[in-house]
């Protein structure tokens, strides 16, 4: 069984980061180990959430794993709370990586809709850029892409295909082997992701019908589904296409329930769809 280490927070209520990565990647049949960077009572879209920082636990946990000679087939970082935490995660990944066979995935969670999330700074973005540079696959949204390139103030939501391609090539100059831009909107009524492979220069696009709603945590859901599908054995473009469809399915099923919660998508409802897609009707 493949084993992945994901490093991100636990927001006890809110369906994002760790509480999405563990069930979703596990659903693809991989052992999903979570190193929590912080424990919050809820994610930060609620008011008055509690926050317990766990940065100082990271080196202790790492030392124990090394003693036990534990290894991982893949490493995945999501929401990280400070520059120091990004530096530690970078050291953790590089020192636990065994060579060419284990993969590093970085979702540089820090911004959306042209703005950094509360608490994040351009200096944090610059540090995140170095972590992205170590990755086999980075998965920024458009806003994060701009901030990683140090030009958050030039953000435009309406880039055409050739402008997006230039942006992805620029992101690959960080050293990332592949760049997957999430939330790409190239055709009216459609949304999806655009993938660039630096070695071959190839681009792949996956699109689906745009569901007219926004939900917290869909970026985490998308990244987890891409990585789960890759660990399941799909090629990166196929994993991307599956994740685009899975997120759309989750959103449709969420909206179909008039009593759905406001703080996250009901990704659990789309597990039967996912299993049918992976294993066929049985
Ligand atoms: O979905 C990204 C995310 C993860 N973790 C926490 C968050 C957010 C987005 O706001 O608040 C705590």
């Amino acid at each position: 069984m493949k084993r992945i280490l994901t490093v991100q927070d636990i927001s006890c209520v809110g369906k994002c980061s760790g509480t999405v990565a563990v069930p979703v990647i596990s659903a693809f049949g991989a052992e999903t180990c979570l190193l929590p960077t912080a424990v919050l009572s809820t994610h930060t879209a609620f008011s008055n959430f509690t926050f317990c920082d766990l940065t100082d636990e990271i080196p202790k946990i790492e030392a124990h794993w090394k003693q036990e000679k534990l290894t991982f087939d893949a490493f995945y970082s999501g929401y990280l709370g400070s520059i120091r935490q990004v530096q530690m995660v970078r050291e953790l990944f590089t020192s636990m990586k065994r060579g060419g066979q284990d993969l590093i995935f970085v979702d540089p969670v820090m911004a959306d809709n042209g703005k950094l999330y509360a608490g994040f700074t351009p200096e944090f973005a610059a540090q995140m850029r170095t972590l992205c540079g170590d990755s086999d696959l980075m998965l920024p949204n458009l806003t994060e892409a701009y901030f990683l390139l140090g030009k958050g103030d030039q953000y435009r939501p309406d880039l055409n295909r050739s402008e997006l391609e230039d942006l992805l090539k620029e992101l690959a100059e960080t050293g990332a082997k592949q760049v997957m831009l999430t939330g790409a909107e190239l055709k009216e009524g459609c949304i999806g992701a655009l993938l660039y492979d630096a070695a071959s220069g190839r681009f792949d696009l996956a699109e689906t019908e745009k569901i007219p709603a926004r939900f917290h945590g869909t970026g985490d859901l998308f990244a987890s589904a891409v990585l789960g599908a890759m660990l399941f054995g799909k090629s990166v473009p196929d994993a991307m296409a599956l994740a685009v469809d899975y997120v759309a399915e989750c959103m449709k099923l969420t909206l179909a329930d008039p009593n759905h919660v406001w703080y996250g998508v009901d990704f659990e409802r789309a597990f039967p769809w996912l299993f049918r897609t992976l294993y066929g009707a049985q």
Side-chain angles (χ1 to χ4, degrees):
M1 183 178 260
K2 291 264 166 69
R3 179 194 285 148
I4 183 168
L5 169 64
T6 183
V7 186
Q8 41 191 329
D9 66 272
I10 296 178
S11 292
C12 301
V13 175
K15 302 201 199 191
C16 69
S17 43
T19 63
V20 166
V22 172
V24 172
I25 302 175
S26 296
F28 284 90
E31 179 183 349
T32 311
C33 305
L34 172 61
L35 196 173
T37 51
V39 177
L40 293 80
S41 50
T42 63
H43 62 50
T44 58
F46 287 80
S47 319
N48 305 321
F49 54 87
T50 69
F51 182 93
C52 172
D53 183 72
L54 295 174
T55 309
D56 291 335
E57 289 300 308
I58 297 177
K60 294 188 250 173
I61 291 173
E62 178 180 350
H64 181 222
W65 285 344
K66 285 184 175 155
Q67 237 173 40
E68 295 291 332
K69 301 201 170 19
L70 291 167
T71 56
F72 299 96
D73 301 295
F75 301 90
Y76 160 33
S77 69
Y79 185 97
L80 300 174
S82 65
I83 290 182
R84 182 163 162 252
Q85 220 167 55
V86 179
Q87 286 163 340
M88 276 188 176
V89 168
R90 203 172 164 216
E91 280 160 25
L92 170 77
F93 286 0
T94 3
S95 81
M96 292 212 72
K97 195 170 153 66
R98 289 163 299 162
Q101 81 273 34
D102 36 14
L103 299 170
I104 296 184
F105 305 110
V106 176
D107 185 358
V109 179
M110 59 183 167
D112 205 2
N113 297 315
K115 285 202 251 32
L116 288 168
Y117 295 140
F120 291 98
T121 59
E123 292 71 37
F124 177 92
Q127 190 64 41
M128 184 55 91
R129 181 188 162 99
T130 64
L131 181 60
C132 288
D134 293 340
S135 71
D136 293 279
L137 176 65
M138 59 187 282
L139 308 98
N141 63 32
L142 187 58
T143 307
E144 288 156 352
Y146 272 93
F147 278 98
L148 288 169
L149 295 172
K151 46 187 184 188
D153 54 339
Q154 294 167 40
Y155 169 80
R156 271 179 43 216
D158 53 353
L159 302 190
N160 62 32
R161 169 84 186 226
S162 102
E163 290 171 320
L164 284 184
E165 290 191 357
D166 288 345
L167 200 73
L168 293 198
K169 284 187 195 158
E170 235 186 294
L171 284 166
E173 286 169 17
T174 57
K177 296 194 179 64
Q178 296 191 312
V179 183
M180 191 181 290
L181 184 81
T182 66
E185 295 190 40
L186 284 164
K187 240 191 278 147
E188 187 67 28
C190 290
I191 190 159
L194 182 64
L195 171 67
Y196 175 59
D197 176 74
S200 64
R202 176 183 158 144
F203 286 94
D204 283 281
L205 176 69
E207 285 180 305
T208 186
E209 158 207 2
K210 185 171 174 179
I211 318 284
R214 290 186 79 88
F215 284 106
H216 206 87
T218 45
D220 304 338
L221 187 59
F222 177 77
S224 299
V226 171
L227 309 188
M230 285 173 64
L231 294 170
F232 186 81
K234 302 266 182 206
S235 69
V236 187
D238 286 350
M240 173 173 73
L242 176 58
V244 164
D245 290 343
Y246 175 61
V247 174
E249 193 63 25
C250 290
M251 290 180 70
K252 274 187 225 159
L253 292 173
T254 305
L255 286 172
D257 176 0
N259 297 319
H260 67 259
V261 297
W262 65 268
Y263 49 76
V265 271
D266 292 347
F267 64 86
E268 304 89 338
R269 290 182 193 275
F271 281 149
W273 177 93
L274 183 64
F275 294 143
R276 279 196 304 276
T277 307
L278 292 176
Y279 303 106
Q282 284 176 8

